[in-house]
Amino acid sequence: MTLKRPNIGRRAFLIGGTAAIAAGTTALVRLRKPQGNVQLPARPLDPSAGIRLTAARAQVPLLGPGTVPVNVWAYNGQVPGPELRIRQGKKLRVLLDNRLSEDTTIHWHGVRVPNPMDGVPKMTQPPVAPRTTYDYEFVVPDAGTFLYHPHAHSSEQIGRGLYGALIVEEPDPPAVDRELVWLLDDWRIDNGQIAGGFGNGMDALMNGRVGNTVTINGRVPQPVAVRPNERIRLRLLNIANARIFGLHFGGLRPVVIAIDGQPAPPRLADGPILLGPGMRTDLILDMTGKPGDRVQITDNFYNGLEYQLTSFTYASSPVRQTPLSTPIDLRPNPIAEPNLDGAEHHEMVFGGGMMSGMGGGMMGGGGMGWTVNGLVRTDDPSDALFTIPRGRTAVFDLRNETAWWHPIHLHGHSFRVISRNGTSTARKDRQDTILIPPQETAEIAFVADNPGDWMVHCHILEHQEAGMMATFRVS
Ligand code: C2O
Ligand code: CU
């Protein structure tokens, strides 16, 4: 993929070396110097035992130790919500308890769930009203790195902190010294609290709600201590409303082992790790530095706005004398391979939004929103664009005719990326979310073997809510 780095306009700029950016007229966020070590995530919960997730208002110290807590919406009082960890093939059982003052649901992003468990209100389930509960129960078929989040008023509900990681463990994971799970988020902070104005027209028709404060696991990042020759499995998940990350790991040589939870043949990263909203990447990192070394992890996705996300600092005692060289391959998940002979082809044209940058006009008949095949959908997305016979291979020709990047997410299935801009891809990676640069195209293929009505939408949540969503039926 060619990396045309987008301009984010004058709405955002960096302040020295931290992950804080000022948006428009909102005040600069002053971040304290990092103290102590990185926030340790709370103990994972095993949802095969049956657990409760309570969605409610809470306060968390997003901006770091010694700062005023930020008012959020959270699962079980934490941002991120509890890490859920379950063995592949086990049954997840989660009771959602809605203590918000509006409807909500949980969507299990990337998991090939049975349709009634997919969490799309009015389409796969009734909305979960305030002071009511809902049971989610399904077997997790694939090992990998997944997300859970509401699928109701997503821009605001996810934007205020309702999300978490769902890790499905392989029966035989590669040997590592440590596993890190980094949920990347981006907040628009104004006077120490989350700014309002979710889903406003400017955000909706341009980059989406890109914020001014980046967090890892719900905290402004602090340096992470590592040991020489340590092998780390780093699970990266982007749950920001709109921010796209392009991560560099200094002198380290990250090896990609999974994309969107799905195993990929191990390969050295050949550029920045690109993560649009909803996307995940699993990396193996061998800490090849010496005691006292420091590795800066930087994000330079937006033109001219490079900043340091966090850093690794080497402690003095090595874990071992030389790096590990044991295998890191993951076993493939049990997903049917698409058969391109006799596949059904469907075109999805994404249009609308502003022409480009500030003050541009509208594109392609989008009116006040975004379109899929010429239609703006803003509310109930339940009329399917087309039906695919169950078991058939579907090829979607995704065409981004806008001036903006879009991470397009498919529900209920994992697809292979078979071409980009008309050229067959070398790797045919399996993904559930695909980042498509402006004016580019991609073809994805999958076996439509999961019956039901499924959404396909942009995971920039303001784009989704302004119409960039559609549904297809498998029956
Ligand atoms: Cu993560 Cu339809 O969403
Ligand atoms: Cu989009």
Side-chain angles (χ1 to χ4, degrees):
M1 184 189 343
T2 49
L3 182 51
K4 287 180 248 163
R5 293 162 68 208
N7 293 310
I8 203 167
R10 53 193 165 76
R11 305 183 335 98
F13 62 92
L14 282 171
I15 54 173
T18 72
I21 299 163
T25 55
T26 60
L28 280 180
V29 182
R30 287 225 169 274
L31 296 173
R32 299 179 162 240
K33 272 262 178 282
Q35 303 161 353
N37 213 328
V38 74
Q39 162 80 11
L40 286 176
R43 246 250 187 77
L45 297 180
D46 179 359
S48 69
I51 58 155
R52 174 185 292 255
L53 289 178
T54 303
R57 287 167 189 265
Q59 294 194 314
V60 298
L62 279 186
L63 305 180
T67 59
V68 177
V70 173
N71 298 315
V72 296
W73 298 357
Y75 292 118
N76 296 8
Q78 311 163 213
V79 176
E83 179 181 312
L84 307 185
R85 257 188 195 261
I86 186 170
R87 291 286 298 272
Q88 181 176 17
K90 288 264 200 274
K91 180 176 271 186
L92 169 149
R93 288 163 52 224
V94 171
L95 182 78
L96 167 62
D97 183 356
N98 182 8
R99 299 294 165 133
L100 302 169
S101 51
E102 60 184 57
D103 293 350
T104 190
T105 63
I106 297 179
H107 169 61
W108 310 92
H109 177 115
V111 183
R112 296 183 301 128
V113 294
N115 192 260
M117 296 288 108
D118 199 40
V120 181
K122 295 186 275 181
M123 205 174 120
T124 67
Q125 67 162 88
V128 183
R131 310 202 79 79
T132 66
T133 63
Y134 197 82
D135 269 305
Y136 291 96
E137 205 174 296
F138 54 87
V139 169
V140 287
D142 300 332
T145 303
F146 304 101
L147 288 158
Y148 64 92
H149 65 70
H151 221 287
H153 306 140
S154 305
S155 164
E156 180 157 15
Q157 290 193 13
I158 298 175
R160 289 194 184 276
L162 288 165
Y163 60 79
L166 168 61
I167 308 298
V168 183
E169 295 181 327
E170 300 91 9
D172 49 357
V176 295
D177 296 302
R178 192 153 48 128
E179 189 174 307
L180 295 174
V181 178
W182 285 4
L183 271 154
L184 306 176
D185 197 2
D186 171 41
W187 309 74
R188 189 172 291 174
I189 300 290
D190 185 11
N191 275 323
Q193 294 295 333
I194 298 172
F198 284 92
N200 75 65
M202 279 297 268
D203 287 341
L205 295 176
M206 299 177 70
N207 277 306
R209 183 179 163 106
V210 176
N212 54 18
T213 304
V214 171
T215 58
I216 297 178
N217 299 336
R219 297 292 182 280
V220 168
Q222 305 188 353
V224 179
V226 296
R227 293 172 65 190
N229 295 330
E230 186 176 18
R231 174 169 278 183
I232 292 177
R233 176 176 185 169
L234 175 59
R235 299 180 190 256
L236 293 165
L237 307 90
N238 181 359
I239 190 57
N241 282 39
R243 179 179 290 274
I244 301 168
F245 293 84
L247 299 181
H248 296 261
F249 288 81
L252 294 178
R253 308 184 75 207
V255 177
V256 176
I257 57 167
I259 298 172
D260 290 351
Q262 300 297 339
R267 62 176 187 248
L268 273 178
D270 52 7
I273 304 293
L274 274 187
L275 290 164
M279 298 171 72
R280 294 90 66 210
T281 298
D282 285 34
L283 299 176
I284 295 288
L285 294 171
D286 283 314
M287 297 298 157
T288 47
K290 301 180 305 301
D293 281 358
R294 188 184 165 97
V295 180
Q296 303 204 352
I297 301 166
T298 53
D299 171 11
N300 76 343
F301 182 75
Y302 298 97
N303 226 342
L305 292 171
E306 176 166 331
Y307 66 96
Q308 182 184 318
L309 173 68
T310 183
S311 61
F312 288 130
T313 52
Y314 282 84
S316 51
S317 56
V319 176
R320 59 180 62 77
Q321 288 320 304
T322 52
L324 272 185
S325 56
T326 48
I328 51 175
D329 305 67
L330 300 172
R331 193 183 300 190
N333 282 315
I335 305 181
E337 278 304 327
N339 173 10
L340 298 181
D341 303 327
E344 291 222 354
H345 286 256
H346 295 282
E347 197 172 64
M348 280 190 194
V349 180
F350 300 96
M354 294 289 245
M355 198 86 92
S356 68
M358 304 295 286
M362 309 297 294
M363 296 267 300
M368 287 314 289
W370 299 90
T371 58
V372 182
N373 292 358
L375 298 171
V376 181
R377 284 153 203 259
T378 50
D379 185 26
D380 180 359
S382 61
D383 50 323
L385 280 180
F386 44 79
T387 300
I388 306 164
R390 184 176 178 182
R392 193 71 155 270
T393 292
V395 175
F396 289 179
D397 183 4
L398 308 174
R399 315 187 73 83
N400 177 2
E401 295 189 346
T402 78
W404 306 89
W405 291 67
H406 303 288
I408 303 296
H409 173 56
L410 189 80
H411 284 213
H413 301 80
S414 264
F415 52 77
R416 287 204 183 274
V417 180
I418 60 171
S419 81
R420 281 198 181 258
N421 299 314
T423 305
S424 168
T425 53
R427 301 187 184 111
K428 311 273 183 292
D429 286 326
R430 219 194 267 283
Q431 301 174 205
D432 53 59
T433 310
I434 178 171
L435 189 57
I436 310 182
Q439 303 292 327
E440 295 199 10
T441 66
E443 276 181 308
I444 60 172
F446 62 99
V447 179
D449 53 6
N450 200 354
D453 285 355
W454 300 103
M455 288 199 80
V456 45
H457 64 84
C458 180
H459 219 283
I460 290 179
L461 303 171
E462 294 73 30
H463 293 179
Q464 176 193 351
E465 289 180 355
M468 197 173 271
M469 56 177 154
T471 61
F472 64 98
R473 178 166 300 154
V474 177
S475 82

